[in-house]
Amino acid sequence: MSSLRYSKDHCWVRKTENGAVIGITDYVRKQICKSFEINLCDEGDEIRAGEIIGDIESCKLFDIIAPVSGTVVRVNDSLLENKEELLDVSRECWLCELSQAAYTRPLMSEAEYNDFIKKIPD
């Protein structure tokens, strides 16, 4: 059973000892064109669930919406330098880590999320 929880905004979150780690789902990753730019929040940012914490400028613009609230303690700098890592669906690619994460929005299990994306029109 997966320890990840999923948002309707296509982000996943994994609880950590001191907070949470956030990433985007394969659903979004598979829609990103080979040429893209990624922008992420900064360390020290206070974010609230539902706020935009970054974006991916590709064939279309994807806003990255925080699934939980907290303080950004770490950003995946290697991803900013080697953005192609984001397209590798064989690995879990995290975007940022939060401390004192607060789960204020409903999140889905992997099965619930898979059912959710099946209902999205092509």
Side-chain angles (χ1 to χ4, degrees):
M1 186 168 181
S2 175
S3 63
L4 301 180
R5 303 294 291 173
Y6 299 84
S7 73
K8 290 182 178 183
D9 300 307
H10 308 291
C11 283
W12 56 259
V13 61
R14 182 182 66 236
K15 285 185 182 181
T16 63
E17 190 175 311
N18 297 317
V21 175
I22 297 172
I24 58 170
T25 65
D26 288 346
Y27 176 82
V28 171
R29 289 175 14 166
K30 291 176 182 175
Q31 295 183 52
I32 298 171
C33 297
K34 292 198 185 290
S35 176
F36 69 96
E37 294 298 322
I38 184 167
N39 302 296
L40 295 175
C41 51
D42 294 317
E43 289 181 11
D45 285 355
E46 296 283 333
I47 60 171
R48 292 179 182 258
E51 288 182 345
I52 296 173
I53 59 170
D55 61 55
I56 300 168
E57 298 173 34
S58 182
C59 310
K60 64 182 199 177
L61 179 67
F62 297 96
D63 286 333
I64 302 167
I65 309 294
V68 296
S69 302
T71 302
V72 178
V73 292
R74 195 165 55 131
V75 174
N76 189 345
D77 291 328
S78 79
L79 179 62
L80 297 174
E81 295 167 14
N82 302 302
K83 62 185 180 180
E84 296 76 25
E85 291 178 18
L86 188 65
L87 300 179
D88 184 356
V89 295
S90 68
R91 52 189 297 203
E92 181 184 282
C93 189
W94 63 279
L95 304 176
C96 63
E97 183 176 358
L98 307 179
S99 66
Q100 302 172 344
Y103 293 73
T104 59
R105 298 176 77 193
L107 297 173
M108 296 176 271
S109 68
E110 184 174 11
E112 291 168 329
Y113 179 73
N114 288 333
D115 287 342
F116 170 75
I117 60 175
K118 286 178 189 172
K119 297 174 186 171
I120 297 172
D122 291 334

